[in-house]
Amino acid sequence: MKVALLAGGFGTRLSEETSVRPKPMVEIGGRPIMWHIMKIYAHYGFKDFVILGGYKVDFIRNYFLNYRGHNCDFSIDLGSGDTEWHGWEGEDWRVTVLDTGLDSMTGGRVKRARHVLGHERFCLTYGDGLSNVDIPKVIAAHEAAGAWCTLTAVTQPGRYGALKIGDDNGVVEGFREKGPADGGLINGGFFVCEPEMIDLIDDDDTVLEAEPMDRLIERGKLGSYHHDGFWQSMDSLRDKHLLESQWRENPPWRVWA
């Protein structure tokens, strides 16, 4: 199953970092936050990644094209160009980097990736959120609900939108993106999607969290998995500093060995 990562936004609320790099490439513990997200998925066996780039997509391209050089010691003969790598183990990942448009919205980016995602189930998440969510459990909840899209519902007060979820079946009955804070459950990403969901996206200007979610709700096809463990987005410099401090101590999202 492929894993799509939304990585094309401008990240204006983290402009101290995003003036020079896309937000998913901002580092936590010396590695891009996107790398941490990919490690979470890879831990559960999902290693085929599709990065939905846009803003400063070349930064992402260059990182993965030169991944070994970024992450391994080496000796190089500057005359011949011969390189000897020291202690390289690498990652057994397949990474596809797409330019999904500078100004495309989240839904538009997913729609532009259809030729790569194909007509099979896929995972989808934001490029700036970390969690210790159990991905196979999200998939199991998705299958049990017969949903076209299942999101991970997390508890986070403040600046995020709230979800209304049915008591019995986990079906999402209401979706309010970035509404008034009420301390309820919010959309934490870590989606599982059927290809039918892409049909509900109109064009580049479609925000995934708006019309497509409403259409899924109308059809009773938006499911949820309630994750009550760790979840944290990196939406500001304060969030970055928090994640950095957690990484130095005992990072709660580090599910891999």
Side-chain angles (χ1 to χ4, degrees):
M1 190 187 309
K2 290 182 172 64
V3 180
L5 294 98
L6 289 160
F10 290 96
T12 53
R13 283 177 290 189
L14 195 59
S15 59
E16 299 91 344
E17 292 274 355
T18 56
S19 60
V20 296
R21 71 189 75 197
K23 188 176 175 184
M25 298 303 293
V26 173
E27 293 184 352
I28 302 297
R31 302 271 194 161
I33 189 171
M34 185 162 59
W35 177 89
H36 294 262
I37 297 168
M38 295 164 80
K39 289 289 283 188
I40 294 167
Y41 278 98
H43 170 74
Y44 293 107
F46 303 103
K47 303 177 181 181
D48 191 349
F49 299 99
V50 182
I51 299 174
L52 312 182
Y55 173 68
K56 295 189 180 294
V57 66
D58 282 347
F59 197 105
I60 299 173
R61 286 172 171 156
N62 290 333
Y63 176 78
F64 285 105
L65 284 172
N66 299 286
Y67 187 81
R68 182 180 292 189
H70 285 297
N71 295 285
C72 183
D73 295 336
F74 62 86
S75 301
I76 184 169
D77 185 318
L78 296 179
S80 66
D82 293 339
T83 305
E84 178 184 358
W85 301 98
H86 305 298
W88 173 247
E89 295 181 0
E91 307 284 358
D92 56 343
W93 303 347
R94 174 181 171 85
V95 181
T96 301
V97 180
L98 301 180
D99 183 352
T100 57
L102 181 63
D103 298 312
S104 297
M105 297 292 103
T106 47
R109 297 192 189 284
V110 174
K111 193 174 187 71
R112 283 199 180 205
R114 182 161 206 167
H115 66 290
V116 174
L117 296 174
H119 298 279
E120 300 176 354
R121 178 181 297 165
F122 62 96
C123 291
L124 170 70
T125 196
Y126 302 108
D128 62 355
L130 296 173
S131 178
N132 60 355
V133 60
D134 189 319
I135 303 298
K137 288 185 178 180
V138 184
I139 295 171
H142 176 79
E143 292 176 343
W148 287 0
C149 177
T150 295
L151 56 79
T152 297
V154 298
T155 302
Q156 176 80 2
R159 59 189 179 274
Y160 300 93
L163 302 170
K164 180 181 179 183
I165 297 176
D167 294 333
D168 299 325
N169 54 15
V171 171
V172 178
E173 299 173 349
F175 190 103
R176 187 175 70 252
E177 183 68 5
K178 296 186 179 175
D182 59 7
L185 294 174
I186 65 161
N187 167 29
F190 294 94
F191 302 90
V192 179
C193 305
E194 300 298 326
E196 289 85 353
M197 184 271 284
I198 303 178
D199 295 330
L200 304 181
I201 300 171
D202 294 328
D203 52 31
D204 285 353
D205 295 328
T206 303
V207 176
L208 180 67
E209 300 80 5
E211 291 90 350
M213 293 296 169
D214 290 337
R215 292 165 182 168
L216 286 165
I217 290 168
E218 289 169 1
R219 291 164 172 78
K221 291 295 185 178
L222 181 58
S224 68
Y225 172 77
H226 183 191
H227 172 63
D228 57 5
F230 175 82
W231 178 88
Q232 177 66 51
S233 69
M234 186 183 65
D235 204 42
S236 67
L237 196 59
R238 177 182 178 277
D239 295 334
K240 171 181 161 55
H241 290 160
L242 172 63
L243 292 170
E244 283 279 10
S245 66
Q246 291 175 324
W247 178 255
R248 289 192 297 269
E249 297 167 5
N250 184 24
W253 66 87
R254 184 168 182 164
V255 295
W256 63 94

